[in-house]
């Protein structure tokens, strides 16, 4: 009886090791099957006949499927640049917290600055203020022209599908 109790106790204390050993053996077997696949009796390949033999006209190769459609036109950079899981990444809704409309697209011109190479850049605010050069895209907008004399910028809005002229925000 002592021997049976000893064997039972040893099995109980080493059960995790035995399960691990069995799992390693099963994994090893699966790796062996992947590395050395079993030979299939139906895999008897026949070499092509010598000479130039073409298949019958009705048994030609299948025609390829149509190519995938091109991606939809539009500006996708806003999906990459703004974090959709961050509450402050939402565009501004305007000064009074109302909805954006054609007159208030959610872009505010804060400043225009001339750089050392003669180009201009504009400080625009959508979510937070940033400097942009002509031709740069941000969110769903593209800065097309900076007019330093009139203190305005021309921004193309993809949402509205047209160019919007935004004047300089008055300082309070």
């Amino acid at each position: 009886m002592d021997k049976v109790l000893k064997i039972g106790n040893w099995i109980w204390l080493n059960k995790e090791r035995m399960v691990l050993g069995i799992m390693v053996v099963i994994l090893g077997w699966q790796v062996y099957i992947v590395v050395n696949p079993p030979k299939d009796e139906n895999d008897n390949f026949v070499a092509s006949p010598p000479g130039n033999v073409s298949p019958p006209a009705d048994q030609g190769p299948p025609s390829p499927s149509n190519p995938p459609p091109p991606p939809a036109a539009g500006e996708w950079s806003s999906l990459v640049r703004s974090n959709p899981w961050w509450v402050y990444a939402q565009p501004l809704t305007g000064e009074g917290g109302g909805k954006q409309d054609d007159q208030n697209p959610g872009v505010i011109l804060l400043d225009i600055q001339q750089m050392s190479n003669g180009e201009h850049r504009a400080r625009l605010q959508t979510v937070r203020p940033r400097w942009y050069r002509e031709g740069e895209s941000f969110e769903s907008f593209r800065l097309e022209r900076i007019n330093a004399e009139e203190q305005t910028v021309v921004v193309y809005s993809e949402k509205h599908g047209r160019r919007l002229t935004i004047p300089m925000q008055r300082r309070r």
Side-chain angles (χ1 to χ4, degrees):
M1 190 66 177
D2 267 347
K3 291 214 180 232
V4 172
L5 261 167
K6 233 183 211 184
I7 291 171
N9 195 19
W10 182 84
I11 289 174
W12 182 255
L13 294 175
N14 294 308
K15 65 184 177 291
E16 291 90 3
R17 290 181 184 160
M18 287 187 273
V19 169
L20 179 64
I22 292 169
M23 296 300 288
V24 167
V25 169
I26 291 172
L27 177 66
W29 177 252
Q30 294 297 323
V31 168
Y32 175 78
I33 289 175
V34 169
V35 172
N36 299 321
K39 296 285 183 186
D40 190 15
E41 290 82 27
N42 297 334
D43 286 345
N44 297 331
F45 294 108
V46 178
S48 62
N52 190 359
V53 178
S54 61
D58 60 338
Q59 292 182 349
S63 62
S65 63
N66 292 335
E75 180 64 38
W76 298 95
S77 62
S78 64
L79 296 175
V80 176
R81 290 189 183 137
S82 65
N83 185 353
W85 308 112
W86 186 43
V87 69
Y88 298 115
Q90 298 301 319
L92 294 177
T93 58
E95 300 254 341
K99 291 190 171 187
Q100 297 176 4
D101 55 3
D102 288 346
Q103 286 74 31
N104 185 7
V107 179
I108 301 170
L109 174 61
L110 299 175
D111 195 12
I112 295 177
Q113 185 180 63
Q114 184 172 4
M115 298 182 346
S116 61
N117 60 0
E119 293 180 358
H120 288 88
R121 63 181 186 165
R123 186 173 183 214
L124 301 173
Q125 178 177 346
T126 52
V127 175
R128 59 182 161 218
R130 287 193 55 202
W131 291 98
Y132 297 102
R133 292 188 176 122
E134 285 185 2
E136 276 191 77
S137 295
F138 58 99
E139 295 182 16
S140 64
F141 302 99
R142 185 175 62 240
L143 179 59
E144 291 194 342
R145 193 173 340 122
I146 299 173
N147 190 340
E149 291 82 29
E150 296 179 11
Q151 299 289 304
T152 60
V153 293
V154 176
V155 175
Y156 177 76
S157 171
E158 293 174 4
K159 177 182 174 186
H160 299 103
R162 62 186 177 93
R163 290 175 179 80
L164 304 169
T165 302
I166 301 172
M168 176 79 77
Q169 187 73 20
R170 288 189 206 131
R171 305 212 179 196
R172 295 180 181 146

